[in-house]
Amino acid sequence: MGKDGGEKKRGDGETMAVMSLMKDQQNPIQQFQVKFKEVETGFKSWLSKQKLPVEAAIVTAMGGVQGAFIGGLMGTLSPEMPQTGVDPQAMASLKQTQALVGGPLVQARNFAAITGVNAGIACIMKRIRGKEDLESAVVAALGSGVAYSLVSAGLQGQPGNAITTAAGFALFQGVFFKLGERFSKPSVEDPYYTRARSMLLKLGLEKYEKNFKKGFLADPTLPLLTDSALRDVSIPPGPRLLILDHIQRDPELKGKRGSRG
């Protein structure tokens, strides 16, 4: 028993040494990116398991905070009105524009309403419809347009203005969405490799994700992984040891491996 314990401790030390060596080869920016991606993936995974009202509330709040920051920054950086040497008519027009746009607090409020409502509705539509498409984007834009009208003009504003603003938001969002579909690359996120991607990120081995996909080593295969299976997809010995050790330490994956055995 003592011998087995000593071998286990020695193996743990060797594993940690290999992980430390591989992480040291990454520069600080890469390490931060890996850590951030790991946290982001874990948060998204947790959020997707929550009930719809909880997920929508959190997404809306996060979108609102981001919008408030952007709006406040834009309001702070807006140029000061010149005091002299400006045509009176131009000065009056500039004052009207600034009164409409408002200062940092007003812009923070407006942007928070726009981005928060847009993110919340988009989240609800995605959960209900199971996809992100043009219809969902337009509905979210309509909602954010109405929200902007309410917070900027108040309940005393004209309903026609709210409808016009919402339609403008929807049109812009629809055009932007179609342009994005046309020019952007397809998403590389694959739902069948979520667990594998998270594991590789945690180990600093994210560059081997393509090897997993090449060998179709999707999430359901993780409890079944062997050294030969990883070798067949051209993963070197050091990373193979880290991956197998991680699977052995993961209670859920280890339990599935035991039950299959």
Side-chain angles (χ1 to χ4, degrees):
M1 186 70 178
K3 182 179 180 180
D4 292 341
E7 291 179 351
K8 185 177 185 302
K9 288 183 178 179
R10 184 166 61 252
D12 292 346
E14 292 173 352
T15 300
M16 295 300 295
V18 174
M19 289 184 66
S20 176
L21 177 62
M22 296 188 68
K23 288 184 177 180
D24 287 342
Q25 294 175 352
Q26 297 178 321
N27 61 48
I29 296 178
Q30 288 178 326
Q31 292 180 11
F32 175 78
Q33 290 174 337
V34 169
K35 188 64 178 177
F36 179 81
K37 189 67 176 178
E38 179 185 337
V39 173
E40 182 184 31
T41 301
F43 177 75
K44 287 182 177 179
S45 177
W46 172 83
L47 191 60
S48 65
K49 298 175 183 177
Q50 307 307 308
K51 294 182 179 180
L52 178 56
V54 176
E55 182 182 10
I58 293 176
V59 171
T60 300
M62 292 176 61
V65 171
Q66 292 175 356
F69 176 78
I70 295 172
L73 184 62
M74 291 179 62
T76 303
L77 299 178
S78 60
E80 295 287 339
M81 286 194 303
Q83 301 298 323
T84 59
V86 180
D87 181 73
Q89 186 175 357
M91 177 68 76
S93 177
L94 183 58
K95 285 183 177 180
Q96 289 179 356
T97 301
Q98 287 201 337
L100 177 64
V101 174
L105 292 179
V106 174
Q107 291 202 43
R109 178 201 65 189
N110 293 344
F111 273 82
I114 293 171
T115 57
V117 172
N118 189 288
I121 295 178
C123 170
I124 294 172
M125 294 293 290
K126 181 180 179 181
R127 177 72 77 91
I128 293 175
R129 305 180 74 240
K131 59 181 178 179
E132 294 179 348
D133 56 7
L134 178 62
E135 289 78 4
S136 298
V138 168
V139 171
L142 285 170
S144 61
V146 172
Y148 171 74
S149 296
L150 291 176
V151 300
S152 60
L155 296 177
Q156 68 273 18
Q158 296 293 329
N161 292 339
I163 295 174
T164 303
T165 302
F169 273 54
L171 178 62
F172 175 80
Q173 183 74 5
V175 172
F176 186 78
F177 185 90
K178 295 304 290 185
L179 289 175
E181 275 189 337
R182 183 171 182 177
F183 294 107
S184 65
K185 295 180 180 180
S187 176
V188 296
E189 295 289 334
D190 193 326
Y192 295 104
Y193 295 88
T194 302
R195 187 73 181 268
R197 184 182 305 112
S198 176
M199 175 187 69
L200 293 174
L201 282 170
K202 185 177 297 184
L203 296 174
L205 304 174
E206 63 276 6
K207 67 179 180 180
Y208 295 110
E209 182 179 344
K210 62 181 183 296
N211 301 67
F212 271 66
K213 292 181 177 179
K214 180 180 178 181
F216 300 102
L217 300 179
D219 290 348
T221 69
L222 293 183
L224 306 174
L225 284 183
T226 61
D227 184 77
S228 60
L230 295 173
R231 184 170 61 247
D232 289 343
V233 294
S234 304
I235 296 180
R240 292 204 304 267
L241 291 173
L242 294 176
I243 293 169
L244 294 174
D245 180 72
H246 176 84
I247 293 174
Q248 183 65 25
R249 293 171 182 273
D250 189 299
E252 183 179 351
L253 294 178
K254 184 177 180 182
K256 290 181 179 179
R257 169 177 284 188
S259 62
R260 291 174 186 268

